[in-house]
Amino acid sequence: MNDPVVAAATPPMRFSRIAGTGSYLPAKRLTNADLAAQLALRGVETSDEWIVERTGIRARHFAADTEQCSDLAVAAAKCALEAADCDAASVDLIIVATSTPDMVFPSTACIVQHKLGIAGCPAFDVQAVCSGFVYALTVADSMIRTGAANKALVIGAETFSRLLDFDDRGTCVLFGDGAGAVLLQASDTPGLIASELHADGRHVGILCTPGSVAGGQVRGDPLLKMDGQAVFKLAVGVLEDVARSVLEKAGRSEADIDWLIPHQANIRIMQSTARKLKLSMDKVIVTVADHGNTSAASIPLALDVAVRDRRIARGDTVMLEGVGGGFTWGAVLLDF
């Protein structure tokens, strides 16, 4: 008699969910009036009205000279771990999205790992500028789904104040420093539903910091350069397209979005994106007025603000989307 064929057991599906959020802002806060007064000493004219009208920004935070990007990241990570009731020792993956690392190498993630008092798990940085957190979250989700990790710290942290040309009022008024983090963990129910990432290197020149270090010296210009009009035009188009594509992947529609958290670059870009997605601004989390543009930190910072003030609750469907230098862009749809 032939032995019966025994079907191999199908392994259970793995997903990832956000278990906790955290954020950190440096103590030094500069209002538009504060910044305008400092710029006036350099012969650069601006005002609160000029900045608010064009950007929606009213204040931003700058890191102290003694604060490194990793310090901001660690503070946000500890808040996320506390919110998730998770010990750092159980973290088995750390990804830091940043364009302003502590040093050329090792990665800021490795430095964060050390400062958290843990060792052994993979730790690396992702550099996609303002889209960095969406990129990092997508990578962490993939690693959790494949079983390569169970609990991942995903952090966006930036000290952009150190890249600014304070003789260029078109850029120096836009950016601030900060960090946001989530603890992403394995789950048997879906949390991150769908995501999509893109890049187009043809647009490298419209938003960049073109300097580099060679032979112990800085070559080129180490300060941020931006063609604001070109960035605005590209951003509005790609943010709508990627949001719709992610919704299609997820089998959802705009009506299913409870909250939209876009990269906090400019209130006009956010308003245009919401309008194209037929969403009221009441459904958009906006922190740009208080934080400025914190690049890869802006989305997790805004997420943590909205979780802690109880606008975002368990079961809500949230769209995260970012666009930044590279040119990079992407979106994640999640059930919180």
Side-chain angles (χ1 to χ4, degrees), residues 62-76:
F62 282 0
D65 290 342
T66 55
E67 283 184 304
Q68 298 299 313
C69 183
S70 61
D71 294 322
L72 278 57
V74 167

PDB file of all heavy atoms in Angstrom, residues 62-76:
ATOM      1  N   PHE A  62      16.055  74.024  16.377  1.00  0.00           N
ATOM      2  CA  PHE A  62      17.437  73.758  15.965  1.00  0.00           C
ATOM      3  C   PHE A  62      18.157  73.000  17.071  1.00  0.00           C
ATOM      4  O   PHE A  62      18.039  73.348  18.255  1.00  0.00           O
ATOM      5  CB  PHE A  62      18.189  75.059  15.680  1.00  0.00           C
ATOM      6  CG  PHE A  62      17.869  75.700  14.348  1.00  0.00           C
ATOM      7  CD1 PHE A  62      16.961  75.133  13.454  1.00  0.00           C
ATOM      8  CD2 PHE A  62      18.493  76.881  13.980  1.00  0.00           C
ATOM      9  CE1 PHE A  62      16.667  75.734  12.244  1.00  0.00           C
ATOM     10  CE2 PHE A  62      18.214  77.490  12.753  1.00  0.00           C
ATOM     11  CZ  PHE A  62      17.296  76.906  11.879  1.00  0.00           C
ATOM     12  N   ALA A  63      18.913  71.992  16.676  1.00  0.00           N
ATOM     13  CA  ALA A  63      19.693  71.229  17.641  1.00  0.00           C
ATOM     14  C   ALA A  63      20.794  72.090  18.246  1.00  0.00           C
ATOM     15  O   ALA A  63      21.357  72.968  17.585  1.00  0.00           O
ATOM     16  CB  ALA A  63      20.295  70.004  16.966  1.00  0.00           C
ATOM     17  N   ALA A  64      21.099  71.811  19.513  1.00  0.00           N
ATOM     18  CA  ALA A  64      22.222  72.487  20.166  1.00  0.00           C
ATOM     19  C   ALA A  64      23.530  71.994  19.566  1.00  0.00           C
ATOM     20  O   ALA A  64      23.589  70.912  18.965  1.00  0.00           O
ATOM     21  CB  ALA A  64      22.193  72.202  21.665  1.00  0.00           C
ATOM     22  N   ASP A  65      24.577  72.781  19.730  1.00  0.00           N
ATOM     23  CA  ASP A  65      25.886  72.404  19.179  1.00  0.00           C
ATOM     24  C   ASP A  65      26.349  71.051  19.711  1.00  0.00           C
ATOM     25  O   ASP A  65      27.092  70.329  19.048  1.00  0.00           O
ATOM     26  CB  ASP A  65      26.930  73.475  19.519  1.00  0.00           C
ATOM     27  CG  ASP A  65      26.693  74.777  18.763  1.00  0.00           C
ATOM     28  OD1 ASP A  65      25.953  74.748  17.757  1.00  0.00           O
ATOM     29  OD2 ASP A  65      27.244  75.818  19.191  1.00  0.00           O
ATOM     30  N   THR A  66      25.912  70.724  20.919  1.00  0.00           N
ATOM     31  CA  THR A  66      26.340  69.469  21.551  1.00  0.00           C
ATOM     32  C   THR A  66      25.463  68.279  21.165  1.00  0.00           C
ATOM     33  O   THR A  66      25.766  67.140  21.544  1.00  0.00           O
ATOM     34  CB  THR A  66      26.307  69.615  23.080  1.00  0.00           C
ATOM     35  OG1 THR A  66      24.983  70.038  23.473  1.00  0.00           O
ATOM     36  CG2 THR A  66      27.323  70.642  23.543  1.00  0.00           C
ATOM     37  N   GLU A  67      24.369  68.519  20.444  1.00  0.00           N
ATOM     38  CA  GLU A  67      23.452  67.437  20.061  1.00  0.00           C
ATOM     39  C   GLU A  67      23.799  66.890  18.687  1.00  0.00           C
ATOM     40  O   GLU A  67      23.919  67.647  17.720  1.00  0.00           O
ATOM     41  CB  GLU A  67      22.004  67.942  20.034  1.00  0.00           C
ATOM     42  CG  GLU A  67      21.366  68.107  21.387  1.00  0.00           C
ATOM     43  CD  GLU A  67      19.908  68.517  21.290  1.00  0.00           C
ATOM     44  OE1 GLU A  67      19.629  69.551  20.638  1.00  0.00           O
ATOM     45  OE2 GLU A  67      19.053  67.840  21.868  1.00  0.00           O
ATOM     46  N   GLN A  68      23.927  65.588  18.597  1.00  0.00           N
ATOM     47  CA  GLN A  68      24.142  64.917  17.324  1.00  0.00           C
ATOM     48  C   GLN A  68      22.813  64.357  16.808  1.00  0.00           C
ATOM     49  O   GLN A  68      21.850  64.192  17.563  1.00  0.00           O
ATOM     50  CB  GLN A  68      25.154  63.787  17.491  1.00  0.00           C
ATOM     51  CG  GLN A  68      26.524  64.247  17.928  1.00  0.00           C
ATOM     52  CD  GLN A  68      27.165  65.190  16.920  1.00  0.00           C
ATOM     53  OE1 GLN A  68      27.159  64.929  15.720  1.00  0.00           O
ATOM     54  NE2 GLN A  68      27.683  66.308  17.393  1.00  0.00           N
ATOM     55  N   CYS A  69      22.795  64.044  15.530  1.00  0.00           N
ATOM     56  CA  CYS A  69      21.598  63.438  14.952  1.00  0.00           C
ATOM     57  C   CYS A  69      21.215  62.175  15.719  1.00  0.00           C
ATOM     58  O   CYS A  69      20.034  61.919  15.967  1.00  0.00           O
ATOM     59  CB  CYS A  69      21.852  63.120  13.479  1.00  0.00           C
ATOM     60  SG  CYS A  69      20.417  62.452  12.609  1.00  0.00           S
ATOM     61  N   SER A  70      22.201  61.390  16.115  1.00  0.00           N
ATOM     62  CA  SER A  70      21.916  60.159  16.857  1.00  0.00           C
ATOM     63  C   SER A  70      21.260  60.434  18.204  1.00  0.00           C
ATOM     64  O   SER A  70      20.451  59.633  18.685  1.00  0.00           O
ATOM     65  CB  SER A  70      23.198  59.348  17.059  1.00  0.00           C
ATOM     66  OG  SER A  70      24.138  60.082  17.809  1.00  0.00           O
ATOM     67  N   ASP A  71      21.586  61.562  18.831  1.00  0.00           N
ATOM     68  CA  ASP A  71      20.965  61.906  20.113  1.00  0.00           C
ATOM     69  C   ASP A  71      19.470  62.149  19.939  1.00  0.00           C
ATOM     70  O   ASP A  71      18.651  61.703  20.759  1.00  0.00           O
ATOM     71  CB  ASP A  71      21.620  63.159  20.710  1.00  0.00           C
ATOM     72  CG  ASP A  71      23.071  62.934  21.087  1.00  0.00           C
ATOM     73  OD1 ASP A  71      23.390  61.838  21.578  1.00  0.00           O
ATOM     74  OD2 ASP A  71      23.881  63.862  20.888  1.00  0.00           O
ATOM     75  N   LEU A  72      19.109  62.857  18.863  1.00  0.00           N
ATOM     76  CA  LEU A  72      17.704  63.095  18.579  1.00  0.00           C
ATOM     77  C   LEU A  72      16.994  61.764  18.310  1.00  0.00           C
ATOM     78  O   LEU A  72      15.882  61.520  18.793  1.00  0.00           O
ATOM     79  CB  LEU A  72      17.554  64.023  17.374  1.00  0.00           C
ATOM     80  CG  LEU A  72      17.677  65.530  17.581  1.00  0.00           C
ATOM     81  CD1 LEU A  72      19.011  65.922  18.202  1.00  0.00           C
ATOM     82  CD2 LEU A  72      17.484  66.275  16.253  1.00  0.00           C
ATOM     83  N   ALA A  73      17.660  60.904  17.529  1.00  0.00           N
ATOM     84  CA  ALA A  73      17.080  59.611  17.175  1.00  0.00           C
ATOM     85  C   ALA A  73      16.852  58.742  18.399  1.00  0.00           C
ATOM     86  O   ALA A  73      15.805  58.084  18.532  1.00  0.00           O
ATOM     87  CB  ALA A  73      17.986  58.894  16.175  1.00  0.00           C
ATOM     88  N   VAL A  74      17.822  58.722  19.306  1.00  0.00           N
ATOM     89  CA  VAL A  74      17.704  57.907  20.518  1.00  0.00           C
ATOM     90  C   VAL A  74      16.544  58.389  21.382  1.00  0.00           C
ATOM     91  O   VAL A  74      15.773  57.578  21.916  1.00  0.00           O
ATOM     92  CB  VAL A  74      19.031  57.930  21.311  1.00  0.00           C
ATOM     93  CG1 VAL A  74      18.840  57.370  22.718  1.00  0.00           C
ATOM     94  CG2 VAL A  74      20.090  57.135  20.569  1.00  0.00           C
ATOM     95  N   ALA A  75      16.410  59.699  21.532  1.00  0.00           N
ATOM     96  CA  ALA A  75      15.312  60.242  22.346  1.00  0.00           C
ATOM     97  C   ALA A  75      13.957  59.836  21.774  1.00  0.00           C
ATOM     98  O   ALA A  75      13.055  59.433  22.520  1.00  0.00           O
ATOM     99  CB  ALA A  75      15.432  61.762  22.428  1.00  0.00           C
ATOM    100  N   ALA A  76      13.797  59.925  20.452  1.00  0.00           N
ATOM    101  CA  ALA A  76      12.532  59.525  19.820  1.00  0.00           C
ATOM    102  C   ALA A  76      12.319  58.023  19.952  1.00  0.00           C
ATOM    103  O   ALA A  76      11.194  57.558  20.206  1.00  0.00           O
ATOM    104  CB  ALA A  76      12.535  59.929  18.354  1.00  0.00           C
TER     105      ALA A  76
END
